[in-house]
Amino acid sequence: MRSVAGMSTAPVDDETLHQTLTEARELRDEFQRFLHEYEFGMREIETKISILRDEFAHHHSYNPIEHVKSRVKSPDSIVEKVARRGIEPDFDSIREHITDIAGVRVTCSFVADVYRLFDLLTAQDDITVRIVKDYIATPKANGYRSLHAILEVPVFLSSGPIMVPVEVQFRTIAMDFWASLEHKIHYKFQGQVPAHLVDSLTAAADAATELDERMEQLHREAHAPLAALPSMTVEV
C-alpha cells in the first residue's frame, strides 16, 4: 500500500503540489476499489442468506433467521490491524493475511438452526470454506460462543472473476446478546475489566447456554406430533 507524503509547512511549487494531490487521489481511488471487492463479496453472501430465509418462510412455514447484520471494515480499522499484526502495508499482503475485512453476522433462533444454515450455505457449489472456528462446541475461556467461518465467494467484475473472503458468524439470540454486552463492558474498561465483572460475564455465558438449551427443547416439544406428546390423566 502506497503512503501519502507527510504535509510540510514549507512552501511548495505548483508542480510539486499537483503531483502530491495526484498521488493522494490515486491512493484514495485504489483503496476504494480494494474495499469495493469486499463489499461486493459481502453482498453475494447476503443474497444467498436472504434466498435461504425466504425459501424457509414460504415453503417450510418457518424462519430460522432472526436478523442479519453486515459491515466492511473502515480504512482506519484496516490500517490499525496491519500495524498491530506487522503485515506488509500493500494490498496483496492485506488480501492474504486479513480475512475479516467483510463480515456478515447471522442471528438464529436456535443452535440447531446455526448448524443447519451453515451446512446449507457451505454446500453451495460456488462457496469455498477456508477456515471454521466452532466456538459453540468449544467456547472461549470467557464464555464467548459463536460459529465463525471464512468463506470465499466469487465476484464477477468487468475485469473478470475474483474470489473474495467473507467472515460469516452464526449465533443464537442469547449468544448475540451476551457478546454485545461483553463488547460494551470491554470497551468501557479498555480491556482491563475488573475480576468480579469477568466472573459475572462467565456466569452469564453459562446462563445463556442453559437458556438456549431450554428454549430449543421447548420448541421441539411444541412442534412434536400430538401422538408423541405424553398423555395427561385428569383426576376427578
Side-chain angles (χ1 to χ4, degrees), residues 158-177:
S158 59
S159 56
I162 58 172
M163 295 298 290
V164 178
V166 179
E167 182 187 55
V168 186
Q169 298 179 0
F170 302 86
R171 57 178 61 161
T172 66
I173 301 170
M175 296 174 197
D176 191 54
F177 183 34

Side-chain angles (χ1 to χ4, degrees), residues 54-184:
D54 289 348
E55 184 205 356
F56 270 95
H58 294 300
H59 300 289
H60 302 290
S61 299
Y62 174 68
N63 183 9
I65 300 173
E66 293 291 334
H67 53 262
V68 178
K69 293 183 179 179
S70 57
R71 61 99 183 102
V72 174
K73 280 186 180 293
S74 67
D76 285 346
S77 179
I78 295 172
V79 169
E80 188 275 334
K81 193 163 190 176
V82 166
R84 187 176 71 251
R85 294 178 54 181
I87 298 169
E88 289 296 321
D90 60 76
F91 290 115
D92 288 339
S93 295
I94 294 173
R95 284 188 182 94
E96 180 180 356
H97 296 290
I98 301 181
T99 55
D100 63 345
I101 293 176
V104 177
R105 180 178 300 153
V106 184
T107 303
C108 301
S109 305
F110 307 106
V111 173
D113 294 331
V114 165
Y115 290 109
R116 179 186 301 172
L117 283 169
F118 171 80
D119 289 341
L120 289 172
L121 184 60
T122 57
Q124 298 186 18
D125 292 342
D126 57 347
I127 291 287
T128 300
V129 181
R130 286 183 55 176
I131 300 171
V132 177
K133 295 182 179 180
D134 190 348
Y135 297 117
I136 298 176
T138 308
K140 291 186 178 182
N142 65 352
Y144 176 85
R145 298 168 70 235
S146 185
L147 178 63
H148 292 200
I150 303 298
L151 308 180
E152 279 190 340
V153 62
V155 172
F156 295 88
L157 303 174
S158 59
S159 56
I162 58 172
M163 295 298 290
V164 178
V166 179
E167 182 187 55
V168 186
Q169 298 179 0
F170 302 86
R171 57 178 61 161
T172 66
I173 301 170
M175 296 174 197
D176 191 54
F177 183 34
W178 183 93
S180 177
L181 176 60
E182 191 265 354
H183 176 77
K184 291 174 183 176

